[in-house]
DNA sequence: CAGAATCCAATAAGATACTG
DNA sequence: CAGTATCTTATTGGATTCTG
């Protein structure tokens, strides 16, 4: 069973917002990363993804389920418990995410520098 | 000097719209691919990208220029001529694009099948 | 706990027309 | 040719509130 998710996993210092690519929609890649080491409950995902409203998180998870990237398992308990897990297909995205991360480590600083340099001349 | 760009390069049969990832904004990856084998003029890019309005194409190219992905060279001629070319940084995106294409070849059919299967039960 | 329902704001993008 | 200028629309995402 996996450890608890680090609340600061996707903090602003993590430049995921500046990356020039996106897997699925805005939160898909982060969800995949959260599920990498085992299933997670809805509330668990909300910890590192506290910037996402439950509505959007639900929408994203439903879309991922529809695309065969995650499974949703609801246990008939009280209080309710729902677990999300990566499918084999969803797991294949990890390779791509890792490639994106490697690109970022290697080249994102250069991109951001270029953005800075071009941002200044047009700034008021 | 490169051949002319194939107008059908990104036709609807090309599932780029269904891919669960995106490099830059909507048209960035296609522009990178168009520039892979050498510089291209604005009008040349409009051939395979005829679904893009000049406004959006300009915006995308400007953003890419700002991020150091392409260079823009305007020749003081009449009629005017402008050429866009990949920078070294822009060229590094080709690796990532190729990774995305490989993922698609390997797994996109499965994703689309899952989407089909889940789409039917909820359809009215 | 795991969401559903409703409403709203921001952004992206397309249509259209015009110009140095 | 290579854009610019407006305008309008569509899509996302977020805020807020409520519930089985």
């Amino acid at each position: 069973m996996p450890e608890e998710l680090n609340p600061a996993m996707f903090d602003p210092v993590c430049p995921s917002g500046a990356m020039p690519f996106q897997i699925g929609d805005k939160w898909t890649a982060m969800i995949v990363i959260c599920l990498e080491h085992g299933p997670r409950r809805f509330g668990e995902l909300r910890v590192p993804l506290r910037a996402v409203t439950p509505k959007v998180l639900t929408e994203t998870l439903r879309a991922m389920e529809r695309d065969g990237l995650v499974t949703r398992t609801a246990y008939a308990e009280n209080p309710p418990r729902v677990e999300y897990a990566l499918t084999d297909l969803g797991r294949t995205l990890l390779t791509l995410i890792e490639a994106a991360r490697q690109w970022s480590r290697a080249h994102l600083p250069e991109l951001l520098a270029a953005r800075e340099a071009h941002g200044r001349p047009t700034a008021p």
Side-chain angles (χ1 to χ4, degrees), chain A residues 64-77:
Chain A
M64 293 175 72
E65 194 190 358
R66 191 198 51 162
D67 286 353
L69 301 176
V70 301
T71 57
R72 177 182 183 276
T73 312
Y75 298 92
E77 302 171 354

Side-chain angles (χ1 to χ4, degrees), chain A residues 27-47:
Chain A
W27 308 100
T28 303
M30 298 186 209
I31 292 173
V32 171
I33 292 169
C34 289
L35 298 178
E36 177 171 6
H37 301 296
R40 296 287 182 183
R41 303 179 57 165
F42 189 84
E44 277 186 292
L45 294 172
R46 295 199 61 187
V47 174

Side-chain angles (χ1 to χ4, degrees), chain A residues 9-70:
Chain A
M9 236 173 134
F10 302 117
D11 261 8
V13 291
C14 163
S16 45
M19 284 211 253
F21 20 73
Q22 197 179 310
I23 315 271
D25 43 37
K26 193 171 178 183
W27 308 100
T28 303
M30 298 186 209
I31 292 173
V32 171
I33 292 169
C34 289
L35 298 178
E36 177 171 6
H37 301 296
R40 296 287 182 183
R41 303 179 57 165
F42 189 84
E44 277 186 292
L45 294 172
R46 295 199 61 187
V47 174
L49 301 175
R50 60 199 180 288
V52 199
T53 60
K55 175 204 159 205
V56 174
L57 183 55
T58 302
E59 284 170 357
T60 308
L61 286 167
R62 291 282 194 279
M64 293 175 72
E65 194 190 358
R66 191 198 51 162
D67 286 353
L69 301 176
V70 301

